[in-house]
Amino acid sequence: LLSKGLIISEPVGAANGSGLVRQEGPRRRLRAVTYNNLGCFFRKRGKLHSSLQMLDKALRLELLSEQVDTPATTHLNMSTVLS
């Protein structure tokens, strides 16, 4: 299910993506949320390195996007993985 979120949020014209979300801001927001969810999934599975990688990707997208309210949730999730 989460992999579908990544496919849907691919940039328009990407080789593997459907490009369903055409506006850049909402696309980045959806992709950041998907990466954040994947980070939580990997944390629960005990794959902490993969979790941090996903959360780092989410944070980078959130900092680029004006559509995101605050990256505080991603920071909290990162601190949970690191603790």
Side-chain angles (χ1 to χ4, degrees):
L1 186 60
L2 291 174
S3 62
K4 286 185 180 184
L6 289 175
I7 292 170
I8 290 171
S9 64
E10 282 285 330
V12 175
N16 296 333
S18 63
L20 291 176
V21 181
R22 300 206 180 266
Q23 294 176 330
E24 192 65 19
R27 185 191 69 77
R28 283 184 180 164
R29 182 176 184 207
L30 174 62
R31 199 153 179 89
V33 168
T34 303
Y35 280 135
N36 203 332
N37 290 336
L38 280 168
C40 293
F41 171 78
F42 285 129
R43 179 179 52 85
K44 289 193 184 245
R45 294 284 185 181
K47 298 182 178 183
L48 302 182
H49 182 71
S50 296
S51 176
L52 282 176
Q53 286 179 330
M54 294 297 115
L55 292 169
D56 183 56
K57 287 182 181 184
L59 187 60
R60 289 173 192 244
L61 284 172
E62 288 172 346
L63 294 176
L64 288 174
S65 178
E66 296 175 5
Q67 299 269 333
V68 177
D69 296 330
T70 177
T73 303
T74 304
H75 280 108
L76 286 171
N77 289 336
M78 286 180 122
S79 67
T80 302
V81 171
L82 293 170
S83 66

